[in-house]
Amino acid sequence: MSRFDMRHRRHAWVVILAAGATLAGCDKTNTVTQTPSGAVTTTTIAPSADASAVIGKIDASLAAAASAVQSSAAASQALTKVGDAIEDGAITAQIKTALLTASDVKGLHIDVDTKAGVVTLLGTVPDAISRSHAERIAHDTHGVKSVENRLAVQAPA
């Protein structure tokens, strides 16, 4: 069980115990009123000053717990975004390295961009075979979801 789960359970127990203490700390007042048809007894139950203080502490504890949960969720989202950016950068680096080492592809003339696993190839290549090979290199790289091949084939000189 994680440290966060342990704290969460601890807060739940604090709330339960405090709620029990609050109920036990209520002031009960009986008022008897004489009416023409007889006596009417009214019972009023209200939290004592101590119980009201406990309720205030419970509210503050719950607010702190809710804030911790929100902070944890925000941190998790930030870490996911960082992880995605690192993964995209690694994919781009792998493809660029493979393009630079491929003898039939002029990797210096190809720009590689990766976003959420989608690779975009931009630039110019000497022929259709180089264009297809560059796309195949990108597509075969681990982590690539799809490839947008925007490579232009140079017109013969």
Side-chain angles (χ1 to χ4, degrees):
M1 185 176 299
S2 74
R3 187 181 304 169
F4 178 75
D5 291 337
M6 296 281 283
R7 278 187 286 174
H8 208 65
R9 279 191 174 183
R10 216 173 334 171
H11 280 308
W13 278 109
V14 167
V15 169
I16 290 168
L17 291 174
T22 301
L23 291 176
C26 290
D27 289 333
K28 180 177 174 183
T29 306
N30 290 323
T31 306
V32 178
T33 307
Q34 292 296 330
T35 65
S37 59
V40 175
T41 303
T42 305
T43 303
T44 306
I45 299 175
S48 66
D50 290 340
S52 293
V54 169
I55 290 172
K57 289 179 182 178
I58 290 171
D59 286 345
S61 178
L62 289 175
S67 177
V69 168
Q70 288 175 342
S71 295
S72 175
S76 177
Q77 287 176 336
L79 287 173
T80 299
K81 287 180 182 179
V82 168
D84 290 347
I86 290 171
E87 186 175 341
D88 286 343
I91 290 170
T92 298
Q94 287 176 341
I95 294 170
K96 193 65 176 171
T97 301
L99 291 173
L100 290 170
T101 58
S103 59
D104 61 335
V105 179
K106 294 187 177 181
L108 289 175
H109 300 286
I110 299 175
D111 179 46
V112 180
D113 184 43
T114 308
K115 178 126 176 126
V118 176
V119 175
T120 303
L121 302 174
L122 293 166
T124 57
V125 291
D127 51 44
I129 294 172
S130 296
R131 184 179 192 275
S132 295
H133 190 209
E135 182 174 350
R136 176 58 40 208
I137 288 171
H139 192 272
D140 289 346
T141 302
H142 177 72
V144 173
K145 295 177 183 171
S146 65
V147 177
E148 291 182 26
N149 191 344
R150 296 184 186 170
L151 294 172
V153 175
Q154 285 180 329

